[in-house]
Amino acid sequence: MNAQNSINENQHLNAKQQSIVSIATQTAVGDLEHLKIQLHKGLDVGLTINEIKEVLVQMYAYCGFPRSLNGINTFMNVLEERKGKGITDLEGKDASHFTDAVNKYETGKQTLHKLTGVEEKDPKTGANAFAPIIDIFLKEHLFADIFSRDVLTHQQRELATISVLAALEGVAPQLQFHLAVGLNIGLTESQLKQVFSITATHIGKQQAEIANNVLSKISDKKP
């Protein structure tokens, strides 16, 4: 494969990436009927059972336990339905054992550094200074416990996160942060616009337009 072909491919989400976006989007808004359709599609295009489980579990950090649990229960029903039809889906690898429990805060801090490309320096500012426990939860749980689970890559996790935030109302600041992270770890503007095209299909054009406007703000800041 030559360099030009590689560049062209990076302008589009592949079938598995599109499925991650659709699954995350439908889980975020609690549309279980359409989520069921997207779960079937995800398995059909080659996502493993454990990869989809991981997306659904991660959802609780961004849209809450109820939506995450509803998604997991829906997935259980999908798997039973497919099993009844004689379909055997690939289980896939499980997460490697996470051993750095003592230094989870530092692990999370290092992961966040990799994602953003920016080294965090003290003193804390903003919400992390006002409510220091949220900084601990973010570092130790989200960016250590969850992001250290290697069933999904960091890029896949950010793709799922961006999809959720694009689907939800009132979270533009968080979407802007994660769009910047996504671009930093290799997602392209064209791929992100494709995410929002999927948002428009599943959620509506107005929500997709909001997400595209947030992306434009980031693009305008580039040198």
Side-chain angles (χ1 to χ4, degrees):
M1 181 185 297
N2 62 38
Q4 185 60 47
N5 284 339
S6 178
I7 290 172
N8 289 338
E9 285 185 4
N10 283 340
Q11 301 310 305
H12 302 281
L13 298 173
N14 62 38
K16 291 183 180 181
Q17 290 172 317
Q18 290 180 49
S19 281
I20 288 173
V21 172
S22 294
I23 289 168
T25 300
Q26 300 291 11
T27 304
V29 296
D31 188 341
L32 302 183
E33 180 181 347
H34 287 99
L35 172 61
K36 183 178 178 180
I37 295 170
Q38 297 307 325
L39 290 168
H40 277 290
K41 287 183 178 179
L43 291 167
D44 289 340
V45 300
L47 285 174
T48 68
I49 293 172
N50 283 340
E51 285 172 336
I52 293 177
K53 278 185 190 177
E54 205 70 22
V55 172
L56 295 172
V57 169
Q58 182 179 321
M59 293 299 94
Y60 94 82
Y62 296 98
C63 59
F65 272 112
R67 295 278 164 92
S68 175
L69 288 168
N70 286 343
I72 291 168
N73 286 325
T74 301
F75 189 37
M76 289 169 62
N77 292 334
V78 165
L79 292 174
E80 282 299 313
E81 183 180 319
R82 291 169 73 89
K83 185 178 179 181
K85 292 179 179 179
I87 301 172
T88 301
D89 294 300
L90 184 64
E91 189 80 19
K93 72 171 186 177
D94 205 347
S96 301
H97 183 60
F98 179 52
T99 57
D100 195 16
V102 176
N103 296 308
K104 283 202 297 184
Y105 185 87
E106 284 303 316
T107 297
K109 189 174 180 179
Q110 290 169 16
T111 298
L112 192 56
H113 183 192
K114 291 177 184 176
L115 292 171
T116 62
V118 178
E119 185 174 5
E120 184 181 283
K121 297 180 180 179
D122 288 329
K124 306 294 182 190
T125 59
N128 289 347
F130 181 71
I133 191 63
I134 199 68
D135 177 59
I136 293 173
F137 288 164
L138 284 168
K139 300 291 197 316
E140 293 190 356
H141 184 47
L142 180 57
F143 292 112
D145 286 337
I146 296 179
F147 270 72
S148 291
R149 292 176 59 82
D150 55 1
V151 177
L152 298 175
T153 65
H154 286 172
Q155 190 177 98
Q156 287 173 317
R157 290 193 181 280
E158 281 301 323
L159 195 60
T161 300
I162 289 166
S163 303
V164 172
L165 296 175
L168 297 177
E169 297 180 4
V171 291
Q174 289 75 29
L175 176 59
Q176 183 169 337
F177 173 84
H178 283 282
L179 286 173
V181 169
L183 290 167
N184 184 60
I185 62 175
L187 292 170
T188 66
E189 287 189 32
S190 294
Q191 288 174 321
L192 294 173
K193 287 178 180 178
Q194 192 176 353
V195 171
F196 304 148
S197 177
I198 295 172
T199 304
T201 300
H202 293 319
I203 309 299
K205 292 182 179 179
Q206 183 175 354
Q207 197 62 27
E209 184 178 350
I210 292 171
N212 272 306
N213 287 340
V214 175
L215 179 60
S216 295
K217 290 180 181 178
I218 297 174
S219 300
D220 291 343
K221 289 180 181 179
K222 287 184 177 180

